[in-house]
Amino acid sequence: MPSWIGAVILPLSGLLLSLPAGADVKARSCGEVRQAYGAKGFSLADIPYQEIAGEHLRICPQEYTCCTTEMEDKLSQQSKLEFENLVEETSHFVRTTFVSRHKKFDEFFRELLENAEKSLNDMFVRTYGMLYMQNSEVFQDLFTELKRYYTGGNVNLEEMLNDFWARLLERMFQLINPQYHFSEDYLECVSKYTDQLKPFGDVPRKLKIQVTRAFIAARTFVQGLTVGREVANRVSKVSPTPGCIRALMKMLYCPYCRGLPTVRPCNNYCLNVMKGCLANQADLDTEWNLFIDAMLLVAGRLEGPFNIESVMDPIDVKISEAIMNMQENSMQVSAKVFQGCGQPKPAPALRSARSAPENFNTRFRPYNPEERPTTAAGTSLDRLVTDIKEKLKLSKKVWSALPYTICKDESVTAGTSNEEECWNGHSKARYLPEIMNDGLTNQINNPEVDVDITRPDTFIRQQIMALRVMTNKLKNAYNGNDVNFQDTSDESSGSGSGSGCMDEVCPTEFEFVTTEAPAVDPDRREVDSSAAQLGHSLLSGSLVCIALAWQRLCR
């Protein structure tokens, strides 16, 4: 063959390759692709008017195409952004559930504590007047520590409550014995007799069990909402791997390159791509479901035996009842203390007692345990718990369900009813490969996404560990145990009506505490929260007596 013939044939062969498939002159137009590409906000300068040879493509089929290299790069980035947005939008429900409910519960608990403190202060000011105000720091410190515990402070509730009653005993002991002078050492000796003498009756024991369990449940539940919120926010922000980005581009935008911009991916094809891209997220599901189950159990405690609202609302009445018990048994208590701690020194001569103000005859407000106050955050704990339980149930299996939720979106796939006219990764036809199971290890044979099953996502593993730790705390709270102080008292691990729950609803479904729960005392019954049941004559007489004694000491 003459050399000039070869020189002519080579350019002609190059020209033929640049023409569309087929021997005729008709070239397949890229007009529809240009329109769809421009609608995405991209410059039309990148896109040819007619199909060109596709040897330059790195992801899409290397056949005649409407895509240039620049287009493939831009559409790859576009597919990555759309995937990230899809995951974030699909997990929107679970994220907003934890964000909004955390805010509601936190606001409710904080207002509940503020209201309880205000109620006690108002009641004691009416009852004891100046005498209370001169000693109000004892009660203020109690609420300060309760708030500090709720907000995450390192407070041992039992020790703090024991300290409150010990301080109150010291103040009260001086009031019922104004004729004596007590040194600090003597008052410390008095405090040691608190458990033996039970000067406040059974109120401290019952209230300690009720307060500790209610506060442990409330604080742990809000912490659980915080952890759920943080995990959901973090996991919803995905960082697709290079293999995932390639698969997304092939699924979402290779139809553009093939001149089929309106053809959507097959549903099963989408599932395999999403299961490969979200394999690590699916592995979160097991621990997430255990976490949700534990949240639901503690929620049940909040609306039942560990209801902090039913504990805090009548706390002023209960403390007042304890003070009255102390006043009624003042002679016996003083005699036993004098016997154990020694005879105290007489006090300097007392000035003449002033007459008691009229408001010392003010009776305590009646308390009806049937009431469901709605002052805290404009709602009640029962309403909040009923709402959150429904939302929590809906959020189970959310991470393994992500591929299914995304792929049933009609804006993403062709749907299950259109299996013949959908994009299968190569052409417009049925998708034949089987659907992979959930989780990382099941992606070893994923036909669409290259997944390294030997390298779990460390970020997801951190979230799994955070959920595991929180689940353990929730299970402890369900049993009435603070994970930080669960061994400080036998009472904290026992069950019974004194703990704020009835015997038949207190058995523990979880065994997380190494110490065996003690037997329930037969006399542990729910503290009577109604001051109205106390005799009016006893009530008013006790108040006057104790107020007069307090006044003489404090003048």
Side-chain angles (χ1 to χ4, degrees):
M1 179 190 301
S3 60
W4 66 268
I5 295 177
V8 171
I9 289 176
L10 287 175
L12 285 174
S13 64
L15 178 61
L16 289 172
L17 283 174
S18 67
L19 292 174
D24 55 27
V25 190
K26 294 181 180 178
R28 290 178 58 183
S29 172
C30 293
E32 195 175 0
V33 177
R34 287 175 62 84
Q35 184 179 356
Y37 188 71
K40 294 286 180 181
F42 295 119
S43 171
L44 295 181
D46 296 331
I47 184 169
Y49 286 93
Q50 294 178 328
E51 287 185 331
I52 59 175
E55 288 88 348
H56 57 280
L57 298 178
R58 297 188 297 275
I59 299 174
C60 297
Q62 293 182 334
E63 301 173 9
Y64 284 103
T65 181
C66 286
C67 283
T68 61
T69 301
E70 292 76 17
M71 287 178 63
E72 193 177 43
D73 290 341
K74 288 180 180 179
L75 289 173
S76 290
Q77 285 302 308
Q78 181 68 15
S79 63
K80 174 180 179 292
L81 291 174
E82 289 183 8
F83 169 70
E84 291 170 349
N85 290 335
L86 279 170
V87 174
E88 197 159 356
E89 289 170 9
T90 307
S91 60
H92 176 76
F93 168 77
V94 68
R95 288 185 291 112
T96 54
T97 291
F98 280 90
V99 170
S100 62
R101 271 53 186 186
H102 174 271
K103 182 179 179 181
K104 283 180 177 288
F105 271 89
D106 185 56
E107 181 184 16
F108 176 83
F109 288 139
R110 288 175 186 269
E111 286 195 23
L112 183 67
L113 293 178
E114 292 291 340
N115 291 348
E117 183 175 16
K118 183 179 184 302
S119 178
L120 183 143
N121 184 72
D122 292 346
M123 176 181 178
F124 277 44
V125 166
R126 289 197 310 268
T127 305
Y128 301 111
M130 186 60 67
L131 304 179
Y132 161 71
M133 289 186 277
Q134 290 171 343
N135 296 272
S136 61
E137 76 276 1
V138 176
F139 304 94
Q140 290 171 356
D141 290 348
L142 168 66
F143 283 96
T144 297
E145 288 300 288
L146 288 175
K147 292 173 188 174
R148 192 162 74 87
Y149 173 84
Y150 169 72
T151 55
N154 188 25
V155 178
N156 186 321
L157 283 175
E158 292 190 19
E159 290 181 2
M160 183 273 292
L161 290 167
N162 289 339
D163 182 62
F164 163 74
W165 291 112
R167 291 178 66 194
L168 187 58
L169 174 60
E170 291 178 8
R171 301 291 178 99
M172 292 294 299
F173 192 75
Q174 295 175 79
L175 296 178
I176 62 176
N177 293 284
Q179 68 273 32
Y180 296 109
H181 170 73
F182 301 101
S183 65
E184 291 296 325
D185 290 340
Y186 196 97
L187 291 175
E188 186 176 343
C189 179
V190 172
S191 298
K192 293 178 181 178
Y193 280 83
T194 304
D195 292 336
Q196 179 183 341
L197 297 176
K198 296 188 176 177
F200 299 111
D202 209 26
V203 173
R205 181 183 69 85
K206 291 179 178 179
L207 199 58
K208 179 173 69 174
I209 295 171
Q210 291 176 324
V211 167
T212 52
R213 290 186 168 183
F215 270 79
I216 289 168
R219 181 173 85 161
T220 308
F221 191 76
V222 171
Q223 288 176 344
L225 291 173
T226 302
V227 170
R229 178 191 67 189
E230 294 304 312
V231 169
N233 282 337
R234 291 167 181 165
V235 175
S236 64
K237 299 186 186 305
V238 293
S239 297
T241 63
C244 172
I245 295 172
R246 287 179 60 87
L248 290 168
M249 168 61 194
K250 186 177 178 183
M251 181 183 82
L252 295 173
Y253 287 112
C254 282
Y256 279 52
C257 297
R258 293 287 289 129
L260 304 169
T262 60
V263 178
R264 291 181 181 148
C266 301
N267 185 74
N268 290 352
Y269 175 32
C270 173
L271 284 174
N272 273 343
V273 172
M274 292 302 162
K275 287 195 175 197
C277 288
L278 297 170
N280 284 281
Q281 281 75 8
D283 282 347
L284 186 75
D285 227 34
T286 300
E287 203 63 50
W288 176 266
N289 293 339
L290 292 173
F291 162 71
I292 295 298
D293 287 338
M295 287 288 288
L296 287 168
L297 286 172
V298 176
R301 289 299 209 208
L302 285 176
E303 66 181 352
F306 297 175
N307 188 315
I308 191 174
E309 188 175 22
S310 64
V311 171
M312 292 307 297
D313 184 68
I315 196 169
D316 49 2
V317 176
K318 294 180 181 181
I319 293 175
S320 297
E321 179 189 341
I323 292 174
M324 288 167 53
N325 285 333
M326 170 72 179
Q327 194 273 332
E328 286 297 305
N329 300 303
S330 59
M331 293 183 64
Q332 299 94 313
V333 170
S334 297
K336 290 182 179 179
V337 170
F338 293 162
Q339 184 179 358
C341 298
Q343 191 69 22
K345 295 179 181 179
L350 293 173
R351 290 173 287 179
S352 59
R354 300 173 185 171
S355 60
E358 290 182 5
N359 66 349
F360 284 147
N361 288 307
T362 302
R363 285 176 166 78
F364 298 137
R365 66 176 179 82
Y367 172 72
N368 181 3
E370 300 295 323
E371 291 178 22
R372 305 310 303 166
T374 58
T375 52
T379 186
S380 72
L381 187 57
D382 286 346
R383 294 193 191 102
L384 288 176
V385 172
T386 299
D387 170 72
I388 189 64
K389 283 170 68 176
E390 293 304 312
K391 299 295 191 297
L392 288 173
K393 290 173 185 176
L394 292 173
S395 68
K396 289 190 70 173
K397 300 182 179 180
V398 65
W399 306 113
S400 61
L402 276 179
Y404 299 92
T405 308
I406 291 172
C407 293
K408 75 178 181 181
D409 188 335
E410 293 182 356
S411 67
V412 178
T413 68
T416 55
S417 61
N418 196 9
E419 295 182 357
E420 301 293 342
E421 300 292 316
C422 56
W423 175 253
N424 65 8
H426 303 281
S427 61
K428 186 169 77 169
R430 175 183 288 270
Y431 182 76
L432 298 177
E434 64 175 334
I435 302 173
M436 298 293 102
N437 290 324
D438 301 328
L440 185 63
T441 57
N442 290 316
Q443 306 311 309
I444 187 170
N445 295 317
N446 192 310
E448 309 305 335
V449 188
D450 290 331
V451 182
D452 186 351
I453 65 169
T454 65
R455 299 182 62 184
D457 189 314
T458 55
F459 179 75
I460 296 295
R461 266 47 193 179
Q462 289 171 358
Q463 308 314 307
I464 290 174
M465 185 55 64
L467 289 171
R468 191 169 295 162
V469 170
M470 191 66 242
T471 299
N472 187 55
K473 291 184 70 174
L474 287 163
K475 289 175 179 177
N476 274 286
Y478 173 82
N479 288 329
N481 299 314
D482 193 332
V483 71
N484 297 318
F485 301 111
Q486 64 186 52
D487 296 322
T488 58
S489 168
D490 287 341
E491 285 183 328
S492 69
S493 58
S495 64
S497 55
S499 67
C501 53
M502 301 303 291
D503 293 343
E504 63 268 19
V505 297
C506 268
T508 56
E509 279 83 349
F510 296 99
E511 299 297 335
F512 290 91
V513 185
T514 55
T515 57
E516 184 178 351
V520 180
D521 295 336
D523 63 336
R524 291 175 72 169
R525 294 294 179 263
E526 187 72 33
V527 61
D528 182 6
S529 58
S530 175
Q533 295 178 5
L534 298 172
H536 290 312
S537 58
L538 171 64
L539 180 60
S540 57
S542 300
L543 293 176
V544 172
C545 290
I546 195 170
L548 286 170
W550 203 333
Q551 185 186 42
R552 286 197 300 273
L553 182 67
C554 295
R555 274 188 301 108

